């Protein structure tokens, strides 16, 4: 027997959840990832210097998250665990961003359809693979994965930021150019962002095994000056 | 992908994470004993700017030499090192899990463990390893590092039960440790420079290899030399075989020319 007034169509249910998640994400500040010659720069607008939006996952893999902090931090930790377990069981070279992005997609998709509340997050998984080729994956609150080319942006103001990244990006950017481009794209024409409003990290193969490096505020300041 | 509820979250404990995922890194002891041999000389000594860690390259099984170029000194992370003596298989596994534990903690917490915390972590692993040690698979490491809080090198000696002993001057472990320790003791002073400390380490290893059949000496024919590493404010640095060979050449000069 039909229950009048109780029925919600699956389309409506999904729509409501998506709206809810988007609303949560749009309240937060954005994060941009920009490829450059020999690396990827990850820049987030973040007034806190202790609660991170950008983090190291593994030797060649970085993570960026926006939205609800406790939720994307939980995803970050799950990612570190996934990578460490895989690297322990097989080898460090067997850990890659594609598989990690798929795992995130599975998890977010599962939560989106089966839990009371979707995660109010959007994340980026970045990798410099063993041949030096950059890879960028953007994963949405509902588990949609997008394989991004050259740059991507997540967070509240993403559309406007993407437009500015599109205008400014070229294949011959170096690290400092990429950071400057990300900062100006995040700021837009009306604002300017100082080093203390930003969280900046790069993924760049150097002499060591770990490619993730944070830029201290004074380094960012010099670079933006 | 591991996703934990609050109750069963393994937190910053990597061994626990492995166990929860069916990958126990230290399997339980079985009845019976194995004689795996504990042939080695490793040592660490403090100098004015940090600490030098050194180890020979020989691995033996019974009276046979099983490896000539074995590594017994490992960077635990950027600012610390662990040198191992004891059963090779379990010792290398312990170092591997220890290295992963330090990095895992750093990534989960967003900052590294203190040097003291790292030493305690290794002691904990040794305590867990006691059943294997009772079967003849003992592991006796030395842990050394640069402590930014003290702006100095620090070193720790352990026993098979997980006892942890901080040493002020030097520490040795392995079958040649008695000879090596005596040489270091006679030549030691607290104001050694880095190069003096390296020279003393080489001298100690050479004398240990000269007296103990299970400790390998320099092998100039193959270009294999004991491992020498320095940890100071700049971090961990292992000397190349050429650099180690040069220190041995200096020592040879002293030995032959007086």
């Amino acid at each position: 027997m039909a229950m009048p007034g109780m029925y919600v169509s699956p389309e409506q249910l999904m729509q409501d959840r998506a709206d809810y998640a988007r609303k949560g994400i749009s309240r937060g500040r954005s994060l941009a990832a920009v490829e450059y010659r020999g690396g990827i720069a990850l820049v987030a607008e973040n007034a806190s210097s202790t609660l991170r939006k950008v983090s190291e996952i593994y030797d060649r893999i970085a993570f960026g998250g926006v939205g609800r902090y406790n939720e994307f931090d939980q995803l970050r930790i799950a990612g570190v665990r996934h990578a460490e377990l895989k690297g322990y069981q097989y080898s460090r070279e067997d850990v890659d961003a594609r598989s990690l992005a798929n795992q995130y997609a599975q998890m977010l998709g599962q939560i989106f359809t089966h839990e009371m509340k979707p995660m109010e997050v959007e994340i980026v998984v970045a990798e410099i693979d063993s041949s030096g080729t950059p890879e960028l994956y953007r994963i949405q609150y509902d588990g949609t994965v997008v394989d991004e080319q050259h740059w991507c942006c997540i967070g509240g103001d993403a559309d406007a930021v993407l437009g500015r990244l599109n205008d400014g990006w070229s294949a011959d950017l170096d690290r400092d150019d990429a950071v400057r481009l990300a900062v100006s794209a995040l700021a837009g024409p009306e604002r300017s962002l100082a080093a203390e409003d930003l969280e900046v990290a790069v993924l760049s193969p150097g002499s060591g095994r770990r490619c993730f490096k944070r830029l201290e505020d004074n380094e960012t300041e010099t670079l933006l000056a | 992908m591991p996703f934990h509820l609050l109750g069963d979250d393994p937190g910053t404990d990597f061994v626990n994470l492995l166990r929860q995922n069916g990958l126990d890194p230290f399997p339980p002891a079985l009845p019976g004993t194995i004689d795996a041999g504990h042939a080695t000389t490793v040592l660490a000594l403090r100098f004015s700017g940090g600490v030098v860690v050194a180890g020979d390259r020989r691995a033996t099984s019974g009276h046979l030499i099983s490896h000539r170029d074995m590594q017994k000194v490992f960077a635990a992370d950027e600012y610390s090192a662990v040198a191992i003596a004891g059963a090779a298989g379990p010792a290398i596994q312990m170092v591997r899990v220890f290295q992963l534990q330090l990095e895992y903690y750093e990534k989960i917490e967003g900052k590294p463990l203190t040097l003291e915390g790292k030493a305690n972590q290794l002691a904990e692993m040794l305590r867990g390893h006691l059943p294997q040690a009772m079967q003849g698979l003992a592991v006796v490491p030395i842990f050394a590092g640069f402590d930014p809080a003290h702006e100095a090198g620090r070193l720790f000696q352990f026993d098979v039960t997980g006892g942890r002993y901080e040493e002020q001057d030097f520490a040795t472990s392995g079958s040649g440790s008695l000879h090596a320790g005596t040489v270091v003791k006679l030549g030691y002073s607290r104001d050694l420079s880095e190069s003096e400390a390296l020279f003393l380490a080489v001298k100690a290893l050479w004398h240990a290899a000269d007296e103990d059949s299970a400790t390998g000496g320099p092998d100039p024919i193959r270009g294999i030399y004991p491992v020498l590493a320095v940890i100071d404010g700049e971090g961990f640095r292992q000397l190349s075989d050429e650099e180690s060979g040069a220190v041995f050449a200096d020592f040879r000069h002293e030995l032959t020319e007086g």
Side-chain angles (χ1 to χ4, degrees), chain B residues 29-54:
Chain B
L30 299 167
T33 60
I34 304 170
D35 182 17
H38 311 129
T40 280
T41 303
V42 291
L43 61 94
L45 64 146
R46 288 174 69 190
F47 68 94
S48 52
V51 54
V52 162
V53 189

Side-chain angles (χ1 to χ4, degrees), chain A residues 141-196:
Chain A
Y141 54 85
D142 60 353
T144 308
V145 198
V146 187
D147 179 2
E148 300 278 7
Q149 301 299 316
H150 310 312
W151 66 81
C152 78
C153 176
I154 52 176
D157 205 16
D159 288 341
V161 176
L162 279 172
R164 293 190 281 267
L165 288 173
N166 190 17
D167 294 340
W169 194 83
S170 72
D172 58 355
L173 297 181
D174 65 17
R175 185 195 78 168
D176 293 1
D177 297 333
V179 173
R180 278 191 287 266
L181 170 63
V183 173
S184 70
L186 288 171
E190 266 105 57
R191 296 190 305 154
S192 76
L193 293 168
E196 58 268 25

Side-chain angles (χ1 to χ4, degrees), chain A residues 76-153:
Chain A
R76 172 187 74 84
I77 289 173
V80 170
R81 287 179 177 154
H82 166 81
E84 289 291 348
L85 283 168
K86 199 172 171 190
Y88 173 82
Q89 202 171 2
Y90 306 110
S91 92
R92 298 197 80 89
E93 284 69 42
D94 293 312
V95 180
D96 65 346
R98 192 190 51 81
S99 137
L100 183 66
N102 278 323
Q103 291 281 323
Y104 277 134
Q106 293 294 330
M107 197 158 145
L108 283 164
Q110 181 84 3
I111 290 169
F112 183 76
T113 41
H114 295 281
E115 298 290 325
M116 274 289 287
K117 169 190 119 43
M119 279 192 158
E120 297 160 74
V121 296
E122 198 168 359
I123 59 175
V124 167
V125 176
E127 178 186 42
I128 292 291
D129 76 12
S130 49
S131 64
T133 316
E135 276 177 44
L136 278 176
Y137 297 95
R138 178 167 60 87
I139 303 118
Q140 292 180 345
Y141 54 85
D142 60 353
T144 308
V145 198
V146 187
D147 179 2
E148 300 278 7
Q149 301 299 316
H150 310 312
W151 66 81
C152 78
C153 176

Side-chain angles (χ1 to χ4, degrees), chain A residues 55-73:
Chain A
S55 309
E56 176 187 21
I57 294 275
Y58 210 60
D59 300 353
R60 299 171 163 275
I61 304 175
F63 171 97
V66 296
R68 199 178 264 276
Y69 174 78
N70 69 313
E71 292 182 350
F72 70 71
D73 200 53

Side-chain angles (χ1 to χ4, degrees), chain A residues 56-59 74-82 84-85 87-90 92 100 103-104 107 111 119 209-210, chain B residues 1-4 9-12 14 17-18 21 23-26 78 93 96-97 100 103-104 106-110:
Chain A
E56 176 187 21
I57 294 275
Y58 210 60
D59 300 353
Q74 206 177 6
L75 291 172
R76 172 187 74 84
I77 289 173
V80 170
R81 287 179 177 154
H82 166 81
E84 289 291 348
L85 283 168
Y88 173 82
Q89 202 171 2
Y90 306 110
R92 298 197 80 89
L100 183 66
Q103 291 281 323
Y104 277 134
M107 197 158 145
I111 290 169
M119 279 192 158
R209 167 171 62 79
R210 293 165 81 175
Chain B
M1 175 170 281
F3 201 65
H4 301 271
D9 193 293
T12 53
F14 187 64
L17 176 72
L18 290 175
N21 287 275
L23 297 167
D24 194 335
F26 308 120
E78 216 181 322
Q93 169 70 350
R96 181 179 180 221
V97 176
L100 290 169
E103 192 173 318
Y104 176 71
E106 184 190 327
K107 285 194 280 203
I108 297 292
E109 288 291 300

Side-chain angles (χ1 to χ4, degrees), chain B residues 1 12-13 15 17 84 91 102 125 134 146 177-178 206 218 256:
Chain B
M1 175 170 281
T12 53
D13 184 352
V15 173
L17 176 72
I84 49 164
L102 299 188
M125 284 184 187
M134 298 294 287
F146 186 83
S177 61
L178 192 63
W206 187 83
T256 51

